């Protein structure tokens, strides 16, 4: 576990340094252009790498396990949205905002599962991770998400990009409903004496 943690830290540090150096290089190469131009070049490169890696990840899915339809729809919509944005050369800022909105709650999502696996199921710590995840997810996906969908729909964007924005929001609304049910269940189970939640 310690080695995996160090490996993740190393990859993160290398990624931050690499993207920073790429931005500096792009800025020097295109010094006659605006700062925004350089940012968009790096954002396009980053989105391209993300799409390629996501495509490779799909090829390496665990097909021997039960397929989660909602998760498959979510990732398909995301990938198609990124490809559409890249092909149309539109919505780079919106795509970055979508990544932020959809990933901001991920650390707590993963923390919930990690705590369960290492023996902290049904503890106050696990409930705190659940509450943090549910709160951050709800605010990001049900406040920030609809605003981003509105911005994307109101702009002069191709119909495919608009459809992907709406599709991602619909999947988020579905998960929001599931998370509300989960939290209701956990809180109700916790309030009953001598019972344990999932």
């Amino acid at each position: 576990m310690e080695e995996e943690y160090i490996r993740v830290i190393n990859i993160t540090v290398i990624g931050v340094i690499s993207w920073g150096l790429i931005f500096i290089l792009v800025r020097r190469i295109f010094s006659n252009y605006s700062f925004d131009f350089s940012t968009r070049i790096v954002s396009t490169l980053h989105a391209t790498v993300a799409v390629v890696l996501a495509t490779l990840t799909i090829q390496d899915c665990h097909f021997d396990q039960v397929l989660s339809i909602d998760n498959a729809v979510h990732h398909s919509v995301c990938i198609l949205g990124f490809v559409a944005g890249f092909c149309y050369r539109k919505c780079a800022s919106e795509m970055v905002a979508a990544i932020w909105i959809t990933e901001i709650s991920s650390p707590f999502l993963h923390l919930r599962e990690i705590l369960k696996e290492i023996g902290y199921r049904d503890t106050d710590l696990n409930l705190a991770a659940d509450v943090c995840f549910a709160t951050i997810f709800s605010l990001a996906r049900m406040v920030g998400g609809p605003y981003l969908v509105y911005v994307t729909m109101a702009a002069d964007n191709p119909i495919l990009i608009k459809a992907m924005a709406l599709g991602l929001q619909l999947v988020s609304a579905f998960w929001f409903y599931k998370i509300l049910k989960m939290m209701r269940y956990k809180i109700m189970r916790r309030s009953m004496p001598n019972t344990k939640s999932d």
Side-chain angles (χ1 to χ4, degrees):
M1 182 91 146
E2 178 81 18
E3 291 176 9
E4 184 67 21
Y5 176 75
I6 291 171
R7 188 172 80 82
V8 168
I9 295 294
N10 287 340
I11 289 171
T12 303
V13 168
I14 289 168
V16 168
I17 291 170
S18 298
W19 286 108
L21 291 173
I22 289 170
F23 178 78
I24 291 169
L25 179 66
V26 167
R27 189 72 192 119
R28 287 190 183 210
I29 291 171
F30 298 106
S31 59
N32 293 335
Y33 293 92
S34 70
F35 184 86
D36 184 56
F37 179 83
S38 297
T39 302
R40 289 183 185 277
I41 294 273
V42 173
S43 294
T44 301
L45 179 61
H46 190 269
T48 303
V49 169
V51 167
V52 168
L53 292 176
T55 302
L56 294 174
T57 300
I58 286 176
Q59 293 174 358
D60 194 29
C61 278
H62 301 282
F63 289 116
D64 60 333
Q65 298 178 4
V66 176
L67 179 65
S68 168
I69 297 298
D70 53 343
N71 212 10
V73 169
H74 162 74
H75 287 101
S76 299
V77 167
C78 289
I79 291 167
L80 187 56
F82 285 130
V83 169
F86 180 73
C87 289
Y88 286 113
R89 297 180 184 210
K90 289 192 164 238
C91 300
S93 298
E94 289 88 342
M95 286 190 289
V96 171
I99 291 170
W100 187 87
I101 286 170
T102 57
E103 295 301 326
I104 190 74
S105 61
S106 290
F108 291 102
L109 170 68
H110 299 305
L111 178 61
R112 296 174 60 243
E113 300 305 320
I114 290 168
L115 288 172
K116 289 176 190 174
E117 192 161 322
I118 63 174
Y120 288 92
R121 178 185 297 268
D122 300 326
T123 63
D124 289 340
L125 182 59
N126 190 251
L127 181 63
D130 285 340
V131 169
C132 287
F133 166 69
T135 302
I136 293 168
F137 181 97
S138 299
L139 289 172
R141 303 271 186 118
M142 301 315 292
V143 176
Y147 175 74
L148 185 58
V149 170
Y150 169 76
V151 168
T152 304
M153 299 292 264
D156 183 26
N157 289 317
I159 190 72
L160 182 59
I161 290 176
K162 291 179 179 186
M164 294 304 100
L166 184 59
L168 187 57
Q169 185 59 43
L170 291 173
V171 172
S172 293
F174 172 72
W175 281 344
F176 175 70
Y177 170 74
K178 287 176 70 170
I179 290 167
L180 284 180
K181 282 178 58 175
M182 173 200 70
M183 290 308 298
R184 181 174 174 244
Y185 171 78
K186 286 185 176 262
I187 290 170
M188 288 180 74
R189 291 283 303 217
R190 197 153 175 92
S191 65
M192 293 180 197
N194 297 327
T195 59
K196 295 206 175 219
S197 63
D198 68 87

